[in-house]
Amino acid sequence: EVQLVESGGGLVQPGGSLRLSCAASGFTFSTYDMHWVRQATGKGLEWVSGIGSGGDTYYLGSVKGRFTISRENAKNSLFLQMNSLRVGDTAVYFCARGDSPTGFDPWGQGTLVTVSS
Amino acid sequence: QSVLTQPPSASGTPGQRVTISCSGSSSNIGSKFVFWYQQLPGTAPKVLMYNNNQRPSGVPDRFSGSKSGTSASLAISGLRSEDEADYYCAAWDDSLSGWMFGGGTKLTVL
């Protein structure tokens, strides 16, 4: 069974840092693109970042220079290093596999990041 | 404000047909595939439609997708209470070099 499990969320002060992890299982992780998508409480989905199977990276404009996506294929793991966090970054962060042709499929259950003083 | 525009809400009675629209531009919907995601209350999203009008296995044929120019639509026929959810369209945007989601449409089954 394909499974994605996020961890690393929590409460952090504005300007602080947090590192999210996503543990993948049930598929050949190294051959897939992977993504982070976030959702503020009561709001819609917002794509944050993606990393290709070859390591190319893509970012939402508002997180460029603050967030870094990375992957460790040997450990079937995806990461999101978040620095200079802002109140507006508060959201549930989902990890999703980039499947061709079906899109973001599947998704993890999400991890909550709260940026507040 | 989202790059892809959806109505915030839609509703219908059981058995009815409802349509949800998604409007974009030439840099996204106009030149790229459209995807639709369903998010049931309290759960993670799941893919409902890919490549404009293709259903993943397990998605009932009551769901259908279409695209014309810079707009796309998701239609749900034979509406059922379990279809009550948030629906999001998505497409890659060449100008922004990123994935864009619509603002989401909350479907209520009356």
Side-chain angles (χ1 to χ4, degrees), chain A residues 30-76:
Chain A
S30 62
T31 64
Y32 285 86
D33 298 350
M34 296 296 297
H35 299 268
W36 290 99
V37 179
R38 68 186 179 186
Q39 184 173 37
T41 302
K43 302 296 184 182
L45 302 172
E46 182 176 53
W47 174 83
V48 173
S49 182
I51 184 167
S53 56
D56 45 321
T57 58
Y58 305 88
Y59 296 95
L60 175 68
S62 63
V63 309
K64 223 174 269 189
R66 300 189 299 124
F67 290 10
T68 302
I69 190 172
S70 61
R71 62 193 301 161
E72 188 169 350
N73 291 336
K75 293 188 176 181
N76 293 334

Side-chain angles (χ1 to χ4, degrees), chain B residues 6-90:
Chain B
Q6 297 180 235
S9 64
S11 63
T13 56
Q16 268 192 330
R17 182 178 189 271
V18 297
T19 302
I20 298 171
S21 62
C22 176
S23 177
S25 68
S26 58
S27 63
N28 44 66
I29 293 178
S31 57
K32 301 296 177 186
F33 285 126
V34 177
F35 299 78
W36 289 91
Y37 297 90
Q38 178 193 57
Q39 186 175 31
L40 297 169
T43 69
K46 77 164 197 176
V47 60
L48 196 64
M49 201 72 55
Y50 65 94
N51 291 5
N52 305 330
N53 56 14
Q54 301 298 302
R55 284 186 311 276
S57 60
V59 173
D61 59 6
R62 302 185 296 104
F63 294 88
S64 62
S66 64
K67 187 181 99 166
S68 178
T70 58
S71 294
S73 291
L74 175 73
I76 310 170
S77 60
L79 201 60
R80 303 176 69 157
S81 58
E82 57 259 40
D83 299 332
E84 194 160 279
D86 293 323
Y87 293 85
Y88 296 90
C89 59

